Amino acid sequence: MKKMCVHLTGSAHIDPIWLWRWQEGYAEIKATFKSALDRIEQFDEFVFTSACACYYNWVEHNCPELFEAIRAQVAAGRWIIAGGWWIQPDCNVPSGESFARQALYSQRYFESRFGKRAEIGYCVDSFGHNGNLPQLLKKGGMRGYVYMRPDSKKEHSYPFPDGMPFDWEGIDGTVMPTCRLMDDYNQQMGENTAKQLYGIRDALSAAGMETPAVGVNYGVGNHGGGPTVKNIERIRALQTENEDFEFIFSSPNGYFDAVEAARAEGFVPPRVKGDLQHHASGCYSTHSESKMANRRAENRLQSAEKCAVLSAALTGFRYDCARFERAWQKVLFNQFHDVMGGCSIRSAFDDVRESHGEALHIAAEEYNSALQRITWAINTEGPAVDMGKCDGRLWAAEGLGAPVVVFNPHAWEIETPVRVNHSRIVRVTDAKGRDLPFQKVRAERTDGDDKEDTVFIARVPALGYTVCWVFLQGEAQPQGSLPLDATETTLENEKLRLTIDPATGDIQSLYLKDAGTELILGGAARPLVLDESDLDTWGHGVFTFDRVIGRFEQPEITLVERGPVRAKIAVRTRYEKSELLQTYTLYAGADQVECECRVFWHETHKMLKLAFGTAVEDGEAVYAIAGGSIRKPCDGCEEPAQNWAAVENGKIGLAVLNNGRYSYSCKDGELRIVAVRGAGFADHYGFARTNDGLCRFMEQGESEFTYVLRPYTGSFAKNRVVEMAELLNAPAVSVNETYHKGPLPLEYSGIELCGDGIVLSALKAAEDGQGLILRAWESRGERVPACIKLSFAGAEIRREFGPYEVCTFRIDGDTVTETDFVETKL
């Protein structure tokens, strides 16, 4: 029998954060890298592999002599750079744009320091892998992918053994050569290793299959360490004593080189389509604070970059690449799988909070500065103004309106609520002087009698702005008849009618008027409490969370607002020591219902799910993933999803959009989303279940998020589900301006996008300073011809997008070229 080639990768799995804080991980990385250099010096055949640009960056800044030694071994081929990402991230929570930035900043770092890029994607400990990763990996410069979880023997059934190559086909059709490591990322090369290899050989023989290579990682890991002298001596012994296998000191690069050579000779790997799930399903509902901060930072940075590009073109604003890179690096680091998986120790999340705060604040500063350069350049000049007649909070003289500039970061026109910090407004108009309905609403302040703000709806051009005018004096604007009907239990406009059950507080009905269709069956927004007393933080080995032990009851229902712009109903319910406040808002003319969800949670080893029973029969679930969506059966399994999920059958559907939650399930037409989960911190083996009074638990106290119910007929693809989820997470922003001259008009659109379902995910300055980078993706799973015009850059892009295809373009003057995530010409 032909010897089986075993490619042995010497590595160290290093968690920079997990059961320790990042400062300890920082020290361990240096110690591990020094140990690897010692092994290289000691053993001529030894090769070391390490991923994560962040680790190299830390060493470069803190221990330059160690970094130079690593640089020399990389040049000699004894040290292999893998990964091509800043960190080994969770591979379900980060957005598609985050994966692009993982590649951008990491590969450019590797190339600038080592003269080469990583070739093989490397996420050996991440807890699942979204179905768009093959495309995202390829466009980040990778030609292969190595992972370990889910465990194919326990959690995922493949018709081939671990360690051998397979082709992984993503949702867009991209195929990525892939290997799930044999058993573990920390093999110690003892007797069990040989036993496992014989098991692989026997399984292949029984199936009539063969493999050109088996992938094995060895070395001490988690807290670093790397290959030991004993590891290497054992391999040497196996090389001489075992005649059934050829043991090769190798790397991920060497493994995939062998696979490619075998392909050339006729080897055809098996193929897997879709995503690679499930492992540790509980990680997508743990520590909602860090997940929500990640979502906010991703979206704020993208919006700030778009505004900065526009401002640079219109006003000469200085786009600061270095600041954006610093902020993105903070976000990317915190996407590490034990952070985004919510399974690190409590004190580590204190550091995460600080790091996210820095990223969010940089984004806020750049966004505000860019936007106010634009608003300051708009011609809002009116008659001469007597400062003594101006209001204290809005610069508006008698009879004159105060300008409010509203900015839209999206590539399509939007209608958005605008809130003005003032209660004495008598009229609102748009940029063309047309009256807009407005409404007094409760403010955050309690300042004497002035406890109200004013809200109105603005129509804002794509990637642009509009100026609305608010008047503090003059004749009051007639409002006419109310377009909304509201009682304590109903909200209704010309498109929708929502009814609350007074006995339970649940949504009893959500009725689409034009279609004459009822979307709810069995109640919606039902707050169910689930028992998870047998789960650790990760939820190891359990993939369906459905043990209902109670629900929030005793509803108190209040009609909070009713006016020409919106109506609101608040529903307060209780469960033991906890309280839930769901405030439903319906806007005039809207085709969806928004809910502000505030949870006052004081439960441990329990989970709160909101259940949306629908009238969808024989449907399937659709879950948003990084740069696309994936269809799954309604089998009750807990699934990671991003800013929306839906259940539909081709006739009707209901999408639930959110601004900071990631864990859904669907069964028999009922869609559920996890609101909070009271798991223990870093409870790996279930110790917290003993609850000795000293364990700390997540989500205790107040938390909040927003979800949106979007009912529709047909498919999500034709009902702007993706666009409305994007708007929820990256809302319009506004600036109260003053009177001044300026070269800019009262209204401006920076982009014209023709192509249904194309989403603009990035518009930024190129990292090398040569022009702009524009990235867009097809969101509906359809082939679409598209045209993108940037008026401020004089650029036009014509491209047919394949289903879920991500395309990146460099715009340099009147030249447009297609590029990859690393901003190099294809």
Side-chain angles (χ1 to χ4, degrees), residues 510 512 517-522 612-622 631 634 646-655 666-671 710-714:
L510 183 57
L512 272 172
T517 301
E518 175 60 59
L519 267 296
I520 301 302
L521 180 66
F612 301 90
T614 75
V616 178
E617 297 180 349
D618 300 321
E620 60 182 346
V622 191
R631 293 183 178 273
C634 295
V647 56
E648 63 180 36
N649 61 9
K651 298 177 182 177
I652 60 172
L654 178 69
C666 187
K667 188 174 183 180
D668 298 330
E670 181 174 85
L671 192 63
R710 188 165 182 81
Y712 55 87
T713 57

Side-chain angles (χ1 to χ4, degrees), residues 205-273:
S205 178
M209 302 172 67
E210 62 179 6
T211 180
V214 174
V216 176
N217 273 30
Y218 70 94
V220 177
N222 287 344
H223 199 265
T228 65
V229 171
K230 184 179 289 188
N231 291 156
I232 299 171
E233 289 177 343
R234 283 174 175 170
I235 293 170
R236 282 181 165 181
L238 285 168
Q239 286 176 323
T240 58
E241 298 168 3
N242 192 297
E243 298 180 354
D244 295 323
F245 304 97
E246 181 181 0
F247 293 94
I248 304 170
F249 285 94
S250 188
S251 68
N253 298 32
Y255 175 92
F256 285 103
D257 286 344
V259 174
E260 289 307 307
R263 282 184 196 267
E265 297 179 0
F267 171 67
V268 180
R271 181 167 293 202
V272 173
K273 295 183 179 182

Side-chain angles (χ1 to χ4, degrees), residues 554-821:
Q554 307 168 39
E556 297 176 9
I557 306 173
T558 307
L559 177 61
V560 178
E561 292 179 15
R562 184 192 178 200
V565 175
R566 70 188 190 191
K568 281 191 176 189
I569 293 176
V571 180
R572 190 184 301 271
T573 52
R574 295 173 176 82
Y575 171 83
E576 294 190 355
K577 297 177 288 184
S578 300
E579 187 173 281
L580 171 66
L581 179 62
Q582 298 191 81
T583 304
Y584 300 99
T585 302
L586 181 63
Y587 286 89
D591 53 2
Q592 61 186 29
V593 178
E594 183 178 298
C595 181
E596 301 165 55
C597 185
R598 294 174 63 194
V599 187
F600 306 87
W601 186 248
H602 301 285
E603 316 297 329
T604 60
H605 298 306
K606 295 174 184 175
M607 175 188 295
L608 169 60
K609 279 193 173 189
L610 301 177
F612 301 90
T614 75
V616 178
E617 297 180 349
D618 300 321
E620 60 182 346
V622 191
Y623 300 104
I625 64 175
S629 59
I630 193 166
R631 293 183 178 273
K632 293 287 187 85
C634 295
D635 57 6
C637 281
E638 203 67 23
E639 300 286 353
Q642 300 216 345
N643 54 19
W644 65 273
V647 56
E648 63 180 36
N649 61 9
K651 298 177 182 177
I652 60 172
L654 178 69
V656 180
L657 291 49
N658 78 86
N659 71 344
R661 295 298 186 268
Y662 289 89
S663 196
Y664 284 88
S665 63
C666 187
K667 188 174 183 180
D668 298 330
E670 181 174 85
L671 192 63
R672 296 181 177 182
I673 183 172
V674 178
V676 293
R677 178 174 175 235
F681 280 95
D683 177 23
H684 206 175
Y685 304 105
F687 174 75
R689 290 197 292 273
T690 63
N691 202 355
D692 60 1
L694 300 177
C695 294
R696 303 293 292 271
F697 291 85
M698 300 183 195
E699 311 294 352
Q700 302 303 295
E702 182 178 358
S703 63
E704 59 184 305
F705 70 104
T706 298
Y707 67 84
V708 171
L709 300 181
R710 188 165 182 81
Y712 55 87
T713 57
S715 166
F716 84 89
K718 305 300 182 184
N719 286 279
R720 297 176 56 81
V721 168
V722 174
E723 290 88 338
M724 298 311 293
E726 292 286 319
L727 178 57
L728 173 65
N729 284 272
V733 294
S734 62
V735 173
N736 296 339
E737 258 303 338
T738 60
Y739 306 121
H740 43 65
K741 293 181 179 181
L744 298 182
L746 295 178
E747 198 163 68
Y748 182 84
S749 175
I751 194 168
E752 181 182 343
L753 195 160
C754 302
D756 291 343
I758 302 299
V759 176
L760 176 68
S761 61
L763 180 62
K764 60 183 287 293
E767 295 299 311
D768 62 6
Q770 301 300 310
L772 304 176
I773 298 294
L774 183 148
R775 187 161 27 255
W777 57 282
E778 196 287 318
S779 66
R780 301 177 180 181
E782 302 171 348
R783 186 166 294 279
V784 177
C787 177
I788 305 172
K789 298 179 182 179
L790 296 181
S791 57
F792 59 88
E796 180 175 321
I797 300 168
R798 291 187 179 273
R799 173 71 148 80
E800 182 176 77
F801 284 68
Y804 297 122
E805 185 177 11
V806 183
C807 295
T808 306
F809 305 92
R810 179 190 290 269
I811 303 164
D812 191 359
D814 58 359
T815 302
V816 176
T817 55
E818 196 160 348
T819 181
D820 59 11
F821 291 163

Side-chain angles (χ1 to χ4, degrees), residues 395-410:
W395 191 315
E398 183 176 354
L400 297 178
V404 177
V405 185
V406 189
F407 176 74
N408 170 18
H410 300 284

Side-chain angles (χ1 to χ4, degrees), residues 92-147:
N92 285 310
V93 170
S95 67
E97 187 57 32
S98 280
F99 282 108
R101 301 311 175 98
Q102 290 278 357
L104 170 67
Y105 298 120
S106 302
Q107 295 285 43
R108 293 182 69 87
Y109 176 83
F110 286 144
E111 191 163 45
S112 66
R113 278 21 175 224
F114 303 107
K116 62 178 65 178
R117 301 178 184 178
E119 299 178 18
I120 307 300
Y122 190 90
C123 273
V124 298
D125 196 24
S126 300
F127 305 141
H129 308 263
N130 79 76
N132 202 23
L133 270 190
Q135 177 183 200
L136 299 174
L137 286 160
K138 185 174 182 180
K139 294 193 173 181
M142 265 68 83
R143 63 182 176 94
Y145 188 54
V146 177
Y147 78 104

